[in-house]
Amino acid sequence: TSEQEDALQAGGFLFQKPGPMQLLGAAGAGRDWPEGRGIFHNDAKTVLCWCNEEDQCRIIAMENGGDVKGVFERFCSLSHAIKGAAEANGKKLMESPNLGFLGTCPSNLGTGLRASVMIVLPELNKDPHKLEEICAGFDLQPRGSSGEHSAAVGAKWDISNKQRIGFSEVELVQKMVDGITKIIAMEEELAAKNAGGGEVAAAAGGEVGGGGGGEVAAAAQS
């Protein structure tokens, strides 16, 4: 129903129709919207499958808190289940020996995996360009609280791995964890210097704490 659609979008679980000025919209990805598009999710909304938003199938594991390892394990289980279901029906995911998984966007060639955390950074938020430089040094990419090209409302940032190709999925998740750990340390140092720092959670041992949940997302087209 339209009410369910609004509720899912408000919670950040459901994609929206691409606007005509966006790349996807200009490329015709919104034709016949919303026919042939949809979402599957579990009751807790910690596992989701987006169908025909940008890729034929995009799988997502997410939850509030800092259990990145648990989110990644859930993502891997879902990935293996999708692959197994395809093969059981005589199909397979589109994959190249050199380019990895093939999706709609060239930036996702390789693993197709984006591992991210939502985190509140009141001090670093004062200079977004500096935050971008810091993230780039750790091979990470900051996005606004509502995704790419959006503002960081309430200083809440979505920070994820920049690379998709040339590393394994485990390596990319670990790079994100290591980078976030260092960014949190910088935020806490700035907060102490300014004597009015905002609250951030500590990160250690492969788990990340912040102002939101960890999300691991990947896209694969069959």
Side-chain angles (χ1 to χ4, degrees), residues 59 73-87 93:
I59 57 176
E73 288 176 344
R74 192 181 316 120
F75 166 80
C76 291
S77 296
L78 178 59
S79 178
H80 290 318
I82 294 287
K83 179 182 179 181
E87 292 176 346
L93 304 181

Side-chain angles (χ1 to χ4, degrees), residues 91-109:
K91 308 291 183 181
K92 64 179 182 178
L93 304 181
M94 290 178 63
E95 187 177 8
S96 161
N98 296 325
L99 300 176
F101 291 107
L102 306 178
T104 300
C105 184
S107 69
N108 286 326
L109 287 173

Side-chain angles (χ1 to χ4, degrees), residues 97-176:
N98 296 325
L99 300 176
F101 291 107
L102 306 178
T104 300
C105 184
S107 69
N108 286 326
L109 287 173
T111 61
L113 181 141
R114 189 174 80 88
S116 72
V117 295
M118 295 287 291
I119 184 169
V120 179
L121 300 169
E123 299 300 326
L124 290 170
N125 186 62
K126 295 175 182 177
D127 189 346
H129 293 295
K130 184 64 176 177
L131 176 59
E132 289 182 5
E133 291 177 4
I134 292 170
C135 288
F138 300 132
D139 294 326
L140 301 178
Q141 179 187 31
R143 301 184 180 193
S145 48
S146 296
E148 202 167 10
H149 309 306
S150 67
V153 179
K156 183 184 289 186
W157 289 89
D158 175 350
I159 300 181
S160 61
N161 56 294
K162 182 181 292 185
Q163 297 144 323
R164 307 285 190 270
I165 196 168
F167 299 89
S168 71
E169 289 85 349
V170 172
E171 288 173 327
L172 290 174
V173 172
Q174 191 61 54
K175 281 169 73 98
M176 184 273 291

